[in-house]
Amino acid sequence: MNPKVEEYIDKARRWHFELKALQNILLDCMLIEEFKWRNPCYTFQNANVIIIGGLKEYCILSFIKGALLKDNHGILINPGENSRSVRMVKFTNTQEIIDLTPILKEYIFEAIELEKEGLKVDFKKDPELSIPEEFQNKLNENPDLKTAFYALTPGRKRGYILYFSGAKQSKSRQSRIEKYVQKILDGKGINDCTCGLSRKMPGCDGSHKYL
């Protein structure tokens, strides 16, 4: 057991027993317990496999490469329409975890096998997103912005394009772009928070100031 994980679970009053139950299952599957991104993280041969955490309305068990799992029992949830790798299971009480224990272990061992085989999520299969005209014009006007944007990781670039494209009106798209120019210049993703986490990651409640 990792002392930092023990401290995290002890302080998680709302989901203490649920997180403890998940911890016992994961340790029983012989995963290594670590503490990353301010959350309990379970690894196999130094590869991140699973993260657990408590949120406001539920606690979660997240498979880092969940998109590769077969999900024979239909328990996995996509955390967001644009999530390409992570899949999670939500719980609201301990009994749900107890009832699902055999199935959870089945999924955990499958996730371990994925690591043994060295399988990775193929992000190249995703269709290339079109940059909104308003943003392309902004990039053409500002060489520094263009350089900074294309230096971002693929996931961060994708996040900005999806957000800018999500506005229906040109005026709204321009407003969104202006709001995030400095953040792009600073090399930050749209979801990067001052706590060092993405606001979508377990452990960040989204209440911090954004860079």
Side-chain angles (χ1 to χ4, degrees), residues 71 75-80 86-90:
D71 195 17
I75 64 172
L76 298 180
I77 298 172
N78 190 329
V86 175
R87 297 293 184 271
M88 63 174 61
V89 188
K90 297 180 180 180

Side-chain angles (χ1 to χ4, degrees), residues 1-2 4-6 8-9 18-37 39-53 60-64 108 111-112 115:
M1 293 183 180
N2 186 299
K4 290 185 178 179
V5 172
E6 290 298 296
Y8 174 91
I9 294 176
E18 288 78 8
L19 291 172
K20 197 68 181 177
L22 291 174
Q23 178 194 40
N24 290 336
I25 292 172
L26 291 161
L27 291 177
D28 196 39
C29 292
M30 306 305 292
L31 289 171
I32 302 300
E33 186 175 74
E34 301 185 38
F35 194 73
K36 300 181 179 182
W37 307 294
N39 275 83
C41 179
Y42 295 82
T43 67
F44 176 78
Q45 295 181 351
N46 297 319
N48 301 321
V49 180
I50 290 166
I51 292 174
I52 62 173
I60 59 170
L61 183 150
S62 295
F63 291 92
I64 304 297
I108 293 166
I112 291 173
E115 295 303 332

Side-chain angles (χ1 to χ4, degrees), residues 166-182:
K168 295 182 179 180
Q169 297 183 357
S170 177
K171 184 177 180 179
S172 297
R173 289 193 290 272
Q174 291 174 356
S175 177
R176 289 187 178 190
I177 292 165
E178 290 297 333
K179 180 180 178 181
Y180 284 95
V181 165
Q182 189 57 52

Side-chain angles (χ1 to χ4, degrees), residues 95-111:
Q95 191 59 48
E96 291 176 341
I97 298 172
I98 294 172
D99 293 342
L100 273 179
T101 294
I103 293 175
L104 289 176
K105 287 187 175 182
E106 177 186 324
Y107 280 51
I108 293 166
F109 286 126
E110 183 184 350

Side-chain angles (χ1 to χ4, degrees), residues 132 160-169 173 176:
Y160 279 117
I161 294 174
L162 287 169
Y163 180 67
F164 297 155
S165 301
K168 295 182 179 180
Q169 297 183 357
R173 289 193 290 272
R176 289 187 178 190

Side-chain angles (χ1 to χ4, degrees), residues 38-144:
R38 298 188 181 183
N39 275 83
C41 179
Y42 295 82
T43 67
F44 176 78
Q45 295 181 351
N46 297 319
N48 301 321
V49 180
I50 290 166
I51 292 174
I52 62 173
L55 301 177
K56 185 176 181 180
E57 298 180 354
Y58 47 81
C59 67
I60 59 170
L61 183 150
S62 295
F63 291 92
I64 304 297
K65 297 180 181 177
L68 298 179
L69 297 175
K70 297 175 184 177
D71 195 17
N72 292 327
H73 301 277
I75 64 172
L76 298 180
I77 298 172
N78 190 329
E81 60 179 305
N82 299 313
S83 178
R84 297 173 291 165
S85 180
V86 175
R87 297 293 184 271
M88 63 174 61
V89 188
K90 297 180 180 180
F91 304 97
T92 57
N93 59 71
T94 309
Q95 191 59 48
E96 291 176 341
I97 298 172
I98 294 172
D99 293 342
L100 273 179
T101 294
I103 293 175
L104 289 176
K105 287 187 175 182
E106 177 186 324
Y107 280 51
I108 293 166
F109 286 126
E110 183 184 350
I112 291 173
E113 288 301 314
L114 293 177
E115 295 303 332
K116 287 182 179 180
E117 296 173 17
L119 297 181
K120 297 181 179 180
V121 176
D122 186 3
F123 295 112
K124 294 181 180 179
K125 290 183 178 180
D126 294 327
E128 187 174 347
L129 295 174
S130 298
I131 296 178
E133 181 180 353
E134 296 81 1
F135 187 45
Q136 186 61 63
N137 291 338
K138 193 70 175 178
L139 294 177
N140 294 338
E141 294 170 2
N142 189 334
D144 290 340

